[in-house]
Amino acid sequence: MIAAAVGTAWLTGVTQADEPGVIEFDEGERSRILSHGPWPLPWTPDRSNRVSGNVHAIDLGERLFFDEKLSPKGNVSCGSCHIAEYNWTDGVKRGVGQAMVDRNTPTLMNMRHHRWFALDGAADSLWSQSMRPIVDPRELASNAAHVAKHLRQDADLSCRYEKTFGASPAAHSDEAVLVGVGKLMAAFQETLTTDVTPFDMFRDALARGDQAAAALYPREARRGLKIFIGKGNCSTCHTGPMFSNGEFHNIGVSQVIDGDAKKVDGGRRDGIRKLMASKFNLLGPYNDDTNRASAVQISHLKPEQRHFGEFKTPSLRNVGYTGPYMHNGELHTLEHVLNHYTELDVKRLHAGGPSMLKPLRLTNAETADLVAFLQTLNMDRAPPWRGKEYAIPPCVLKDKTVESENYFAP
Ligand code: HEC
Ligand code: HEC
């Protein structure tokens, strides 16, 4: 082991204190760093959505995502809040459609790697989550009848729908068309992923033992990374390549909405209630996975008091572009987020909350290093996206068979 590590001695913790700029990582730290990759993760189809990966579904889903006519007032689309140029969020505290919603708009990047959807986990598939804003009176304020009518009346949308599903929207019930629209939008959102970042290049260099490549990673970021995986305890929740365990925690962020003590965001507790009551969860009739292998066992979920105030651990990929932060958007910058962890109001963590959280008491220098590290989780350029104004040729139905060319095929 030692012999093999000679060329990369500093990577494995053998002291090279006189080499400027080198921050050492011991074996344990090294393996924790490696656990945050490799990136990107491979694509696996969503078995609960039969059009996952289908190129026609992606095209049509993209159109519908930006189609304001899905809302009866003709004024709001998904793209009103999930704005491509803003990393698929909106840069404001809380999203605004027909009215202001209770939460901050999360990014849609890397959505296909999530297990629960919405910040309270009220949906267990990307397609069912995509249906919720359509019918929410504060968002698109639409309904199944309006959505189905719109698709049936527009010849091009009808044609594309038929190409994807093998039947025209006229042959489907209003509700089935609404579910179809959710699945089309999900297929589109599955294509939104972040690229390799400076952190990934460092992580891969560590894995290869490539000292020259690893040396390009800034010193501040290296110090911040050491805190992230060490005394900061951040990587106990922000785990793996996504920098999220995909689960729910109460980290002491205020749950009060609009400063009105009677309006409280119950987080995961209410999310479980909504998920179990939904006809569109994976136990319901619209899950396309006939053997139900994709159905997360939600039947044993119970909305218990301990879930009160828990929110989904956000992925930290592209975190420099997702502000303002937290489920309610109350923190403006990454420095504010780190001050939250430094000063942590333990009274807000109810009994049974995660004992892994205590006020971190970071120094200003440590905060700056952690921010420098977090900024290396950003891509330095926007990922390729053709833009919502792209032109695609008019739809022609060659025959009735469903063409299902796979977008992700190598
Ligand atoms: C009014 C602004 C607004 C509009 C319009 C909107 N969203 Fe969202 N979106 C949000 C907010 C806020 C959340 C967080 C919701 C929650 O936690 O309950 C969210 C959550 C999501 C999520 C889950 C993200 C996660 O991390 O789990 C997906 C997927 C999504 N939206 C897709 C869509 C689609 C598809 C549409 C159009 C049908 C849409 N959104 C319309 C603001 C909006
Ligand atoms: C106990 C689990 C846990 C630990 C430990 C933890 N986090 Fe978090 N983190 C969360 C959850 C949950 C949220 C979302 C809270 C909310 O929305 O109210 C969050 C939110 C964030 C956000 C805001 C992201 C966004 O898009 O809104 C950042 C940045 C962040 N954490 C970084 C860190 C850092 C850095 C550390 C270590 C100092 C850390 N976290 C430790 C669970 C954790």
Side-chain angles (χ1 to χ4, degrees):
M1 201 51 223
I2 302 280
V6 168
T8 57
W10 65 270
L11 299 177
T12 51
V14 179
T15 310
Q16 295 215 343
D18 50 6
E19 188 170 335
V22 171
I23 313 298
E24 295 159 31
F25 293 109
D26 65 26
E27 252 331 301
E29 290 172 321
R30 190 172 169 274
S31 70
R32 260 171 280 156
I33 295 169
L34 295 191
S35 76
H36 290 291
W39 189 263
L41 295 170
W43 179 75
T44 45
D46 174 358
R47 304 237 171 260
S48 74
N49 178 0
R50 66 190 183 283
V51 298
S52 170
N54 174 314
V55 288
H56 302 294
I58 293 168
D59 271 349
L60 180 51
E62 183 168 3
R63 294 192 144 201
L64 294 170
F65 189 92
F66 295 107
D67 189 348
E68 292 175 342
K69 293 198 188 115
L70 284 177
S71 74
K73 281 194 180 165
N75 62 344
V76 175
S77 75
C78 312
S80 308
C81 298
H82 299 285
I83 305 168
E85 294 77 9
Y86 285 76
N87 186 46
W88 303 96
T89 167
D90 51 13
V92 298
K93 195 170 171 199
R94 281 156 50 191
V96 183
Q98 313 298 349
M100 190 189 277
V101 296
D102 293 340
R103 299 199 181 133
N104 178 250
T105 306
T107 177
L108 298 182
M109 284 291 199
N110 306 320
M111 218 27 26
R112 71 183 193 218
H113 300 305
H114 287 234
R115 169 172 171 214
W116 305 108
F117 301 86
L119 306 183
D120 56 5
D124 59 359
S125 70
L126 183 49
W127 55 267
S128 62
Q129 170 58 33
S130 299
M131 295 163 60
R132 300 177 65 223
I134 300 178
V135 297
D136 189 316
R138 299 161 305 173
E139 300 184 59
L140 274 67
S142 193
N143 54 66
H146 175 83
V147 169
K149 191 168 153 218
H150 176 49
L151 268 89
R152 289 175 196 139
Q153 277 178 350
D154 184 309
D156 196 67
L157 295 181
S158 275
C159 172
R160 286 179 202 285
Y161 186 99
E162 182 161 357
K163 252 187 141 156
T164 312
F165 290 111
S168 98
H172 283 166
S173 70
D174 292 355
E175 184 175 280
V177 175
L178 178 65
V179 173
V181 167
K183 289 179 178 170
L184 294 162
M185 287 179 170
F188 163 59
Q189 293 169 83
E190 283 177 343
T191 67
L192 306 176
T193 52
T194 58
D195 236 326
V196 168
T197 65
F199 166 77
D200 298 305
M201 290 190 245
F202 173 67
R203 183 253 168 226
D204 292 351
L206 269 194
R208 297 193 304 272
D210 181 343
Q211 194 168 342
L216 298 173
Y217 194 57
R219 200 186 315 187
E220 303 73 37
R222 223 174 269 228
R223 285 196 299 256
L225 172 56
K226 206 174 174 78
I227 300 171
F228 189 86
I229 56 166
K231 77 176 239 199
N233 241 350
C234 314
S235 56
T236 49
C237 299
H238 297 281
T239 52
M242 281 284 279
F243 289 86
S244 168
N245 56 5
E247 289 302 329
F248 302 82
H249 301 276
N250 183 337
I251 63 160
V253 178
S254 169
Q255 290 166 248
V256 174
I257 303 168
D258 294 330
D260 176 351
K262 285 198 231 68
K263 276 171 71 186
V264 171
D265 190 331
R268 178 62 166 155
R269 191 196 58 185
D270 297 352
I272 292 176
R273 284 191 183 136
K274 288 179 193 155
L275 173 62
M276 296 181 62
S278 170
K279 181 179 179 182
F280 305 108
N281 68 33
L282 291 179
L283 295 170
Y286 290 106
N287 181 351
D288 293 331
D289 188 9
T290 40
N291 65 18
R292 289 293 191 268
S294 63
V296 180
Q297 281 311 304
I298 59 168
S299 35
H300 64 265
L301 279 178
K302 278 198 197 70
E304 291 169 22
Q305 192 53 27
R306 68 187 168 90
H307 298 302
F308 189 64
E310 288 182 349
F311 293 91
K312 186 163 74 170
T313 308
S315 169
L316 299 181
R317 288 198 172 266
N318 260 3
V319 73
Y321 310 130
T322 58
Y325 300 101
M326 303 307 186
H327 71 273
N328 55 10
E330 73 175 12
L331 303 178
H332 291 280
T333 64
L334 289 172
E335 282 81 2
H336 289 128
V337 173
L338 294 175
N339 285 343
H340 169 85
Y341 286 110
T342 278
E343 287 160 13
L344 206 69
D345 182 354
V346 275
K347 288 197 295 298
R348 279 201 193 146
L349 306 173
H350 55 80
S355 55
M356 50 231 204
L357 279 175
K358 54 181 189 324
L360 260 188
R361 307 268 174 256
L362 297 170
T363 65
N364 289 344
E366 287 170 328
T367 298
D369 287 342
L370 257 172
V371 171
F373 159 66
L374 291 172
Q375 297 289 12
T376 68
L377 300 177
N378 301 334
M379 303 177 301
D380 53 5
R381 60 189 167 83
W385 180 62
R386 55 192 176 183
K388 64 178 166 182
E389 309 304 345
Y390 71 99
I392 44 176
C395 176
V396 182
L397 264 187
K398 281 202 225 76
D399 53 49
K400 297 279 175 211
T401 58
V402 184
E403 299 168 49
S404 59
E405 205 181 311
N406 194 311
Y407 176 87
F408 298 97

